[in-house]
Amino acid sequence: MRIGVLTSGGDAPGMNAAIRAVVRRAIYAGAEVVGVRRGYAGLISGELIPLDVSSVADIVHRGGTMLLTARSPAFMQPEGVAAAAAQASGLTALVVIGGDGTIRGAQALEQAGVATVAVPATIDNDIARTIRTIGFDTAVNSVVQAVDRIRDTATAHERTFVVEVMGRRRGFIALHAGLAVGAESILIPEEPVDLDAVCDRLTRGYARGKRHSIILVAEGASSGFEVAEAIQRRTGHETRTTVLGHVQRGGSPTAYDRVLAARLGEGAVAHVLAGGRGAMMAFRGGDVAPVPYGDVLSGEPSLDRRLFELAAVLAI
Ligand code: F6P
């Protein structure tokens, strides 16, 4: 048995821990393991390297990905998929680690005859049928640390801060981090943006003696700069903007993300060993289970609306 592993798309903290789990579980079962560098781009150009137990030593705590990653325009074309499938022909199965673009890629490879299993890893948590993706917990904790610092200077200067966070078209990072830092308002793409309500809450807060206000904006909902400009214009209150950007993608993965990566990576190899393919390993109900790509890609990532309501109640 020869199992391949690659990481693709935006990196996420915990990808290394997932690679380690795949490699060691496969070797434990007596399989040979091959790493593909630079995601699907590297598969097309045949960047395959043998991996052994020591290749994945000392990476469990590191952010980024030892296999490197890429977004590959060539792989979006049928010729690219065919070239990648040809390179993968010697593999019993390929485990791909990444977000929804990566899962779409795995589906395309399946259609070209390559056995694949996917492990969901993206800071955005925007994958259907799984409660969590690898990297989300670390990103949320990074946002919380940054906002706790911003709060110090916001209080010292009695300012309002708008903090823009990542998340692509979804508001998971903004919602979870906003709840964790006690943000006054959280703007996410899943809910209508109501700047009147944001400004009312700010004005009420300052009237009762608040010294600072923090507004979290998901990049998919609005631009942090535009929101700050509108708030300052409407309330007259001094407002600053911080765009956290790629700070959210780096750093040592949290224990939660490492454990999740170990479970999903192990689950992917176990699925291959059981003859499974064409599925993403999902984490839900406390268990790891395969979900067919079609169900993942046609589903909606489920943001818990109750958390949004809770955040609003607690920011009264
Ligand atoms: O999908 C992860 C993510 O960090 C998103 O939150 C963000 O919108 C995007 O990737 C940024 O992509 P890039 O690193 O290519 O600028």
Side-chain angles (χ1 to χ4, degrees):
M1 223 180 220
R2 206 156 176 250
I3 297 179
V5 57
L6 63 74
T7 50
S8 166
D11 62 322
M15 277 185 162
N16 275 325
I19 295 168
R20 174 178 179 269
V22 169
V23 171
R24 296 223 165 147
R25 178 65 177 92
I27 292 173
Y28 182 80
E32 218 183 295
V33 188
V34 173
V36 181
R37 283 157 60 93
R38 300 193 175 80
Y40 294 123
L43 186 57
I44 292 172
S45 53
E47 293 187 59
L48 274 55
I49 50 167
L51 295 175
D52 61 20
V53 171
S54 318
S55 316
V56 291
D58 206 23
I59 61 164
V60 75
H61 61 302
R62 292 190 199 281
T65 158
M66 66 164 280
L67 288 175
L68 309 178
T69 185
R71 303 189 200 273
S72 168
F75 189 68
M76 308 295 234
Q77 307 303 322
E79 305 77 38
V81 173
Q87 293 285 357
S89 62
L91 301 175
T92 312
L94 177 65
V95 176
V96 303
I97 303 168
D100 78 332
T102 305
I103 296 165
R104 276 178 213 287
Q107 191 182 43
L109 280 177
E110 273 288 338
Q111 282 155 6
V114 180
T116 64
V117 175
V119 170
T122 162
I123 63 165
D124 304 330
N125 203 54
D126 60 347
I127 307 282
R129 315 280 184 212
T130 185
I131 297 292
R132 277 294 158 268
T133 59
I134 296 165
F136 172 69
D137 186 65
T138 306
V140 169
N141 277 285
S142 297
V143 173
V144 168
Q145 278 176 19
V147 174
D148 285 349
R149 286 167 190 235
I150 288 169
R151 182 194 293 261
D152 290 344
T153 175
T155 308
H157 283 268
E158 301 178 86
R159 281 172 172 160
T160 298
F161 264 84
V162 173
V163 181
E164 183 188 304
V165 300
M166 283 185 165
R168 230 164 41 122
R169 292 189 301 275
R170 303 285 172 177
F172 287 94
I173 297 178
L175 179 57
H176 284 248
L179 196 48
V181 300
E184 269 62 42
S185 295
I186 304 170
L187 307 187
I188 55 175
E190 292 84 349
E191 297 288 334
V193 171
D194 183 352
L195 281 181
D196 289 337
V198 171
C199 293
D200 278 358
R201 193 176 285 147
L202 277 177
T203 309
R204 272 188 278 122
Y206 286 121
R208 67 165 199 270
K210 272 193 74 112
R211 298 238 172 272
H212 70 266
S213 280
I214 307 281
I215 320 285
L216 276 204
V217 178
E219 64 178 352
S222 189
S223 138
F225 286 104
E226 282 172 21
V227 171
E229 198 271 320
I231 289 174
Q232 180 151 326
R233 187 165 24 85
R234 290 178 188 210
T235 65
H237 206 269
E238 193 175 18
T239 307
R240 292 279 192 274
T241 309
T242 302
V243 178
L244 289 181
H246 291 77
V247 160
Q248 297 158 90
R249 285 242 294 264
S252 181
T254 57
Y256 181 94
D257 273 332
R258 298 183 203 189
V259 172
L260 183 63
R263 294 188 67 184
L264 292 173
E266 189 281 332
V269 176
H271 193 51
V272 169
L273 295 172
R277 59 187 284 182
M280 177 195 82
M281 303 313 297
F283 181 65
R284 48 182 184 182
D287 277 326
V288 168
V291 179
Y293 294 148
D295 292 353
V296 175
L297 296 171
S298 63
E300 276 291 303
S302 56
L303 183 129
D304 189 344
R305 220 184 160 271
R306 291 169 305 177
L307 295 186
F308 187 74
E309 284 157 10
L310 173 61
V313 169
L314 299 185
I316 193 170

